[in-house]
Amino acid sequence: MSIIFYNYLSRIFLILALFNSIQANDKSFSKDEATGPYTSLPSSSRTGKEIRIGIIGAGAAGISAAYYLKKNGYTDVTILEKENRVGGKCHSVTIGANTYELGAILVPKFYENIRDLGITLHQGLENVPPSYEMSPLGKSTSSLPYTWKEIIKGVILGLKNAIAFKYTMPKTGFFGVSQSKVSDNSAQFLEENKLSIWQRYWKFSVESCGYGPLKTTAAAYALRMFPPKAVSVLTLGKVLPSQQFGSCFTSGYQSLFKEMAKNLTVHTQHTVEWIDYNQLGIEVKTQHFSKGTVSFQFDKLIVAIPPDHLIGKTDLSENEKSLFSKIRYYDYGVTLFEPQQPLTYKAFLNEQICEHAPVMLVQNWPASPVVTSYAYGDLEEHAHGEINTDGKAVTSALDNRVQELFGTNVKKIHAQKHWEYFPHISSQDIKDGWFDQMEAMQGAKNTYYVGSALSFELVETVVAYSKELVNKHFPANPTSRGWFSSAWARAFGKH
């Protein structure tokens, strides 16, 4: 008996030693380092799943966070949204008999969370034609201009590196990437990893989709667009033209989040004026167009908008202000227009991004004359609140490009929307541990952060990050994860 007891005691001491070693060698930022000291932290008599949880923002991040909270059994969840609708950049409009997107559009096969939600909530999917007629620089070609030799070489190198960097990139977010080569800018990353053959494809995909020039955008962001499954699907889409790349929601992307919001408490047209942390909890004061100032009291707060939007809305530490103010955006948007004559191609990609001019034209519904145009307002990086798109300049550049390429003109503009798009930080800020510091802040002052600034500007990555954060910090079974498993996960980056 004494030998058995000794063995168990030895194992306990070994586990404690490992735990202490993990703590001693953990170089991640502490909550105090990230947020600064606070003498007055919120407290509440409510516990467990009855705590009052507030969410700022009813975009994909906020709605999905609330949805998964409800799924995990939390009963008091309130979303505050400044717009008069839910969905954020998932913004759908109806023109005639069809639905068009002013934001997120595709549901590729590797969007596992979005597809699962669509099935659960009975959202119909319409297959995207397997191969658009594509015209880079106005030259007719059935797809991007690669030879078979280039395709095979690119597939081998792409899959090899996709698998290798799968273990560098966390499942969601960017915790721990500061010490990896993926923090380099995309152009440098491709060159150093002998992936120059992929540069043209990355250029099309990253630059045309609003994520800025390869020479400035960190490879970590680009790799979020191309997980191993995406590489496989894209490859099959090229090699086997019958392979479906993805789908669109028949009723629009926004319909998914409207359906998710049906059983949630959402207050729209509430602009956050001030957030106060006190002994009673977290008080959020909003301004409503008809009700005036409204006050909400919470025990926990989830910020589902970019963190820099909080500057001037609450008392922040100097470190928080410094971190949040590093976020930048691109002026990128969508124009739905109708040409005088049908366009020659179903899709067009411009190899060179330039101010105001369309970088991509897509005719989503072949039977409809409406075409979707994507364009940058300018090519500068902006801080929050600095973007002021010249809509007339965008429309004029669109008309000029349509005339140049297709010999026709813009007949009608149905809708136009420009966004503060792709909240991001520089490669150097990633190397300096920006994401690690943000992750260290999760839960400090009973506040959590979700959204594209932490997860990347794709609806799938946004939803996946919200889901993981909820399951980690607000689990269905709060006792399912002990102190040792948490320390092990923290030490080995499994967040």
Side-chain angles (χ1 to χ4, degrees):
M1 182 68 71
S2 60
I3 294 175
I4 295 174
F5 176 78
Y6 176 79
N7 286 336
Y8 275 111
L9 190 63
S10 299
R11 291 177 184 179
I12 290 172
F13 278 118
L14 181 62
I15 290 171
L16 288 173
L18 174 61
F19 178 64
N20 289 332
S21 175
I22 289 170
Q23 285 191 315
N25 291 287
D26 185 3
K27 296 182 180 179
S28 61
F29 295 87
S30 70
K31 288 182 173 60
D32 284 346
E33 288 176 311
T35 64
Y38 283 85
T39 56
S40 176
L41 291 176
S43 60
S44 171
S45 59
R46 295 194 182 197
T47 58
K49 296 186 177 180
E50 295 181 353
I51 58 172
R52 301 163 298 179
I53 303 173
I55 299 176
I56 299 176
I63 293 293
S64 56
Y67 178 85
Y68 291 119
L69 282 166
K70 284 281 189 178
K71 193 173 180 180
N72 284 359
Y74 291 84
T75 57
D76 194 339
V77 181
T78 302
I79 308 174
L80 305 176
E81 168 57 47
K82 70 174 182 178
E83 303 291 344
N84 63 354
R85 60 178 184 83
V86 301
K89 293 187 183 73
C90 294
H91 188 184
S92 310
V93 296
T94 301
I95 301 173
N98 297 307
T99 300
Y100 296 86
E101 305 291 359
L102 290 173
I105 179 169
L106 280 177
V107 188
K109 289 195 171 183
F110 48 89
Y111 276 25
E112 295 177 353
N113 291 286
I114 296 300
R115 284 181 169 267
D116 286 347
L117 288 169
I119 292 170
T120 301
L121 299 171
H122 309 291
Q123 298 296 295
L125 286 170
E126 183 91 10
N127 285 332
V128 172
S131 60
Y132 281 120
E133 286 184 277
M134 186 101 30
S135 175
L137 296 179
K139 297 176 183 177
S140 178
T141 175
S142 61
S143 59
L144 298 182
Y146 293 116
T147 65
W148 279 101
K149 183 178 179 181
E150 289 175 322
I151 293 167
I152 294 170
K153 183 178 178 182
V155 168
I156 294 171
L157 288 172
L159 289 175
K160 177 183 175 183
N161 283 275
I163 293 169
F165 285 100
K166 176 183 179 181
Y167 299 101
T168 299
M169 298 282 288
K171 184 179 179 182
T172 63
F174 298 97
F175 179 83
V177 303
S178 59
Q179 304 303 314
S180 166
K181 284 292 184 182
V182 301
S183 59
D184 293 338
N185 70 62
S186 296
Q188 179 184 354
F189 173 83
L190 289 173
E191 182 178 354
E192 291 184 355
N193 288 281
K194 299 180 180 180
L195 285 169
S196 297
I197 192 171
W198 280 89
Q199 182 159 341
R200 197 174 190 187
Y201 187 80
W202 274 35
K203 186 176 177 65
F204 277 119
S205 303
V206 175
E207 296 186 353
S208 296
C209 292
Y211 303 118
L214 290 184
K215 64 182 180 182
T216 58
T217 302
Y221 290 125
L223 286 168
R224 274 283 171 249
M225 292 187 72
F226 304 111
K229 286 186 179 180
V231 174
S232 302
V233 172
L234 291 168
T235 301
L236 286 173
K238 170 65 184 178
V239 177
L240 304 174
S242 61
Q243 173 74 13
Q244 290 287 350
F245 172 69
S247 310
C248 295
F249 284 114
T250 307
S251 301
Y253 241 119
Q254 191 177 349
S255 66
L256 173 67
F257 294 97
K258 282 182 178 179
E259 192 65 29
M260 291 172 71
K262 280 185 177 180
N263 295 317
L264 303 174
T265 302
V266 184
H267 296 283
T268 58
Q269 296 180 288
H270 279 263
T271 301
V272 173
E273 294 290 318
W274 188 254
I275 303 171
D276 183 42
Y277 293 86
N278 53 55
Q279 292 294 341
L280 298 177
I282 306 171
E283 183 182 17
V284 180
K285 293 181 180 179
T286 68
Q287 191 68 30
H288 187 266
F289 78 101
S290 65
K291 299 177 182 177
T293 301
V294 183
S295 180
F296 297 87
Q297 198 75 31
F298 303 115
D299 303 308
K300 306 272 188 180
L301 185 65
I302 297 177
V303 178
I305 58 176
D308 55 327
H309 291 208
L310 296 183
I311 296 175
K313 302 286 187 180
T314 188
D315 289 323
L316 298 172
S317 70
E318 288 304 313
N319 193 53
E320 285 174 320
K321 289 179 185 177
S322 175
L323 282 174
F324 297 172
S325 64
K326 293 182 185 296
I327 296 173
R328 291 293 180 269
Y329 304 82
Y330 286 108
D331 178 357
Y332 183 76
V334 178
T335 301
L336 302 177
F337 75 98
E338 189 174 332
Q340 293 279 2
Q341 300 294 329
L343 303 187
T344 311
Y345 307 101
K346 296 176 184 177
F348 164 82
L349 286 173
N350 194 356
E351 287 198 60
Q352 299 297 326
I353 58 173
C354 52
E355 193 173 89
H356 300 136
V359 291
M360 181 163 51
L361 301 174
V362 179
Q363 189 172 357
N364 302 92
W365 308 111
S368 169
V370 178
V371 179
T372 305
S373 170
Y374 298 85
Y376 289 87
D378 59 44
L379 301 181
E380 301 297 320
E381 293 180 296
H382 296 272
H384 171 53
E386 289 183 353
I387 290 176
N388 185 20
T389 307
D390 185 345
K392 291 183 179 179
V394 172
T395 301
S396 176
L398 171 62
D399 188 63
N400 291 338
R401 184 55 58 88
V402 169
Q403 172 63 38
E404 174 191 350
L405 293 173
F406 306 105
T408 187
N409 294 97
V410 174
K411 176 182 177 181
K412 181 179 181 181
I413 299 293
H414 287 277
Q416 189 174 80
K417 177 69 177 179
H418 268 250
W419 305 95
E420 273 192 349
Y421 195 71
F422 179 37
H424 63 279
I425 57 170
S426 69
S427 291
Q428 187 57 53
D429 288 330
I430 295 177
K431 294 176 190 293
D432 291 340
W434 190 90
F435 285 109
D436 299 341
Q437 292 184 70
M438 287 299 302
E439 291 297 337
M441 287 172 53
Q442 299 287 17
K445 300 191 293 181
N446 286 335
T447 301
Y448 305 83
Y449 298 87
V450 296
S452 53
L454 282 87
S455 60
F456 184 57
E457 190 82 273
L458 277 180
V459 64
E460 170 69 12
T461 60
V462 166
V463 170
Y465 188 91
S466 289
K467 180 180 181 180
E468 184 164 285
L469 181 133
V470 166
N471 287 337
K472 177 182 177 182
H473 295 283
F474 303 89
N477 179 8
T479 61
S480 63
R481 186 171 182 176
W483 60 267
F484 178 71
S485 60
S486 297
W488 184 275
R490 182 161 53 85
F492 293 97
K494 296 180 180 181
H495 292 256

